[in-house]
Amino acid sequence: MLDRNRILKAPEEAARAFKSRRVDVDLSGLLDLDARWFDANREWESLRERRNSLSAEIGKKKRAGEPTEELYAEVLRINEAIEATDLRRRELDAQREERWLHLPNIPDASVPVGEDETDNVEIARVGDPPSFSFSPRPHWEIGSTLGILDFDRASRMSGARFSILLGAGARLERALISFMLDCHTTPRSHGAPYRELSVPYMVLPESLLATGQLPKFREELFHVAADDLFLIPTAEVPVTNFYRGEILEEADLPVKFVAYTACFRREAGAAGKDTRGLIRQHQFDKVELVWLSSPESSMENLELLTRDATEILERLGLPYRVISLCTGDLGFSSAKTYDVEVWLPSQGRYREISSCSNFQDFQSRRAQIRYRRSSDRKVGLLHTLNGSALAVGRTLAAILENYQTEDGSVVVPDALLPYMGGISRIQPESISSRP
RNA sequence: GGAGAGAUGGCCGAGUGGUCGAAGGCGCCCGCCUGCUAAGCGGGUGUAGGAUCAAAAGUCCUACCCAGGGUUCAAAUCCCUGUCUCUCCGCCA
């Protein structure tokens, strides 16, 4: 949610921001509604003030044994006015709240202005795409041939967009998760290690409201209706909600969490996109980084967070590039986002494998996560950031494709060898006549 | 799932329907005192919104004692519902 005072003070700044995001917002309508709520609220407060003082007077008179009838009458009259005003105040507040919650974040000044993904700006390109003496095959073909990936049986049991890993494939997935978690929980040159969290996969609606998935993106979420719980679309939700409603000490910032979870997305708007392979699944694994930062250092911290994500790719020897999303392509809650894209030889292009964002105080205002400044002991909203490091399924796909060989086997990257139980090359595996 | 108990400030904990944003203690902060530390002494110490103000401080108003309803002129206090926690029993990976 946006800072109400900031918008009231500079509505034209917000209008520009929404325009650059290509979202249509009736800002003057909202401000008008907000003003009517504000007036109703003030009216209600002053009526309460009058009522409270009369009630106190009744108490005094009663103790003194004086008559109170005429005061009763007045209070009853005021109470009617209070009730009427309260009704109006609540109605306006609900309308106003609903509209505030649908406003996207304002992009940071450093975000490139642009219409859509074609205006995103490449920041860095690291590693050379491998060259093959044969035409590289897509990961689903490699995996199926090796007998470590099974989409057919997955769809029989669960429908479209699910997958099953077998043998060395399952092992590779587990190795990646362990490898990523170990990297992030180990001290490094540019900062303290992350603290690992293991969190619930189902959350209450208010947790999703806090991080911005609700109310606007309900159709993207799996909902367990009987209990009104949602499956998490990303670990960002439970991890960011860890401190919801709390006030931290500035000395404790930044807080750095890493969590591995499964993620669940309905992919409602992606019909027909990436229908084959591991790129777009209803359920996928991800290792997520979350920072709670002081406002002053959140932008530098976004750089550090992104570096932690790309470091995984470098250690795995996967070519990647980093792009800065333009205003038109920026996510709803984000003020600035770097996407990290990995090279997929079969597609001959880079595909998103991580998205690192600074939400500034957009989520923390919804979540009421605050901190107390050391200097003056004042309380303020902190900044939240997060990024994938990395999406496990896509990493696995990238390894299969970048490390494939002409004979169909796949070489295990050196960094993963300690986790693979002696497997250094994935060969076709078949444990029976039914691959 | 059954039975019972509970939910108050950073923590512990009191609170007869009006003078309660809430005693007392701990913690924390500031000061005094003392070779240092500890102890002792004095003071301060919730959040949000609003009014006043050039601004800050200060003062004042409104709300918040798990949440939502209700009773009442008046609710932390009485009633109802929900949520959560704890104890016992049952079931269970």
Side-chain angles (χ1 to χ4, degrees):
Chain A
M1 199 149 61
L2 294 168
D3 179 1
R4 178 171 174 272
N5 287 327
R6 179 176 168 189
I7 307 299
L8 291 185
K9 237 181 265 168
E12 63 290 340
E13 175 206 27
R16 263 199 313 278
F18 300 145
K19 193 161 176 251
S20 78
R21 275 180 169 272
R22 299 183 313 148
V23 294
D24 207 16
V25 174
D26 174 17
L27 195 56
S28 67
L30 169 57
L31 294 181
D32 182 62
L33 183 65
D34 195 85
R36 287 196 289 143
W37 160 79
F38 190 81
D39 290 342
N41 204 47
R42 280 234 308 243
E43 190 182 326
W44 177 81
E45 279 189 7
S46 69
L47 285 167
R48 293 277 301 189
E49 179 180 359
R50 178 84 184 124
R51 203 276 311 272
N52 288 349
S53 72
L54 285 174
S55 285
E57 215 175 306
I58 288 174
K60 265 185 222 150
K61 289 209 175 201
K62 276 212 158 174
R63 265 191 308 280
E66 294 169 28
T68 55
E69 286 74 21
E70 71 289 353
L71 289 177
Y72 270 63
E74 188 174 356
V75 171
L76 283 172
R77 219 175 44 243
I78 292 173
N79 275 347
E80 274 176 42
I82 289 178
E83 191 154 343
T85 312
D86 190 37
L87 220 63
R88 192 157 54 89
R89 179 185 79 123
R90 284 177 191 237
E91 173 61 25
L92 288 167
D93 193 28
Q95 289 176 21
R96 172 194 91 94
E97 183 81 357
E98 172 75 6
R99 291 174 69 163
W100 278 109
L101 286 172
H102 277 83
L103 294 187
N105 202 353
I106 293 176
D108 184 71
S110 64
V111 172
V113 176
E115 289 280 305
D116 51 41
E117 67 272 6
T118 59
D119 294 322
N120 293 339
V121 175
E122 186 174 295
I123 301 290
R125 196 180 274 238
V126 178
D128 297 316
S131 54
F132 297 95
S133 57
F134 53 98
S135 106
R137 297 188 295 156
H139 66 273
W140 56 86
E141 221 175 285
I142 301 166
S144 300
T145 308
L146 287 171
I148 60 169
L149 253 178
D150 189 336
F151 293 99
D152 297 336
R153 292 189 177 99
S155 54
R156 185 169 66 201
M157 67 177 79
S158 303
R161 292 201 194 282
F162 287 94
S163 58
I164 296 168
L165 291 160
L166 301 84
R171 178 79 192 218
L172 183 57
E173 178 181 63
R174 183 154 55 90
L176 280 169
I177 294 162
S178 295
F179 168 66
M180 292 179 194
L181 287 171
D182 285 353
C183 282
H184 298 307
T185 52
T186 303
R188 65 257 314 237
S189 56
H190 56 278
Y194 290 78
R195 186 173 188 203
E196 186 175 342
L197 248 44
S198 175
V199 293
Y201 287 9
M202 287 193 257
V203 293
L204 295 166
E206 45 266 45
S207 298
L208 289 150
L209 193 83
T211 36
Q213 283 80 11
L214 286 180
K216 215 177 165 183
F217 304 103
R218 198 173 216 281
E219 66 286 349
E220 264 306 308
L221 304 165
F222 285 105
H223 183 221
V224 183
D227 303 282
D228 197 19
L229 286 168
F230 291 85
L231 293 180
I232 56 170
T234 159
E236 159 193 355
V237 178
V239 176
T240 306
N241 272 275
F242 183 81
Y243 282 123
R244 193 173 80 217
E246 299 190 35
I247 300 175
L248 311 188
E249 285 295 329
E250 184 173 15
D252 296 330
L253 302 180
V255 171
K256 296 163 70 175
F257 286 134
V258 58
Y260 152 74
T261 70
C263 304
F264 305 89
R265 298 184 184 178
R266 293 190 60 231
E267 298 297 345
K273 264 195 212 163
D274 302 311
T275 49
R276 305 197 68 179
L278 294 172
I279 301 300
R280 198 174 295 275
Q281 302 268 291
H282 285 315
Q283 174 189 322
F284 61 96
D285 284 356
K286 187 154 62 67
V287 171
E288 184 79 3
L289 307 177
V290 172
W291 288 55
L292 305 180
S293 163
S294 71
E296 295 75 29
S297 42
S298 70
M299 274 307 167
E300 329 161 13
N301 288 339
L302 176 61
E303 305 296 323
L304 298 178
L305 167 65
T306 308
R307 194 197 298 181
D308 291 332
T310 55
E311 185 192 336
I312 302 290
L313 289 166
E314 278 168 43
R315 292 177 66 169
L316 290 173
L318 293 169
Y320 68 91
R321 63 173 192 155
V322 180
I323 58 174
S324 181
L325 296 192
C326 74
T327 52
D329 203 25
L330 206 59
F332 175 77
S333 303
S334 175
K336 181 171 187 172
T337 297
Y338 292 123
D339 269 8
V340 180
E341 299 182 331
V342 71
W343 178 256
L344 283 189
S346 74
Q347 301 188 8
R349 65 178 182 117
Y350 292 94
R351 292 297 308 262
E352 178 187 339
I353 197 167
S354 168
S355 193
C356 302
S357 301
N358 182 0
F359 304 92
Q360 297 184 329
D361 60 14
F362 189 85
Q363 292 182 326
S364 61
R365 182 170 295 106
R366 290 168 169 243
Q368 284 299 299
I369 309 170
R370 295 172 289 175
Y371 77 108
R372 194 180 298 280
R373 258 200 313 254
S374 318
S375 54
D376 56 8
R377 309 300 297 158
K378 286 249 193 288
V379 172
L381 295 166
L382 46 73
H383 283 193
T384 63
L385 305 89
N386 69 52
S388 12
L390 301 161
V392 175
R394 291 186 179 185
T395 308
L396 196 142
I399 288 173
L400 293 185
E401 294 201 7
N402 282 278
Y403 283 89
Q404 63 181 302
T405 59
E406 190 158 18
D407 67 8
S409 65
V410 172
V411 175
V412 173
D414 288 346
L416 293 180
L417 288 176
Y419 299 92
M420 286 300 286
I423 304 172
S424 60
R425 178 186 285 263
I426 302 175
Q427 315 269 10
E429 66 179 63
S430 165
I431 53 167
S432 72
S433 57
R434 303 176 74 88

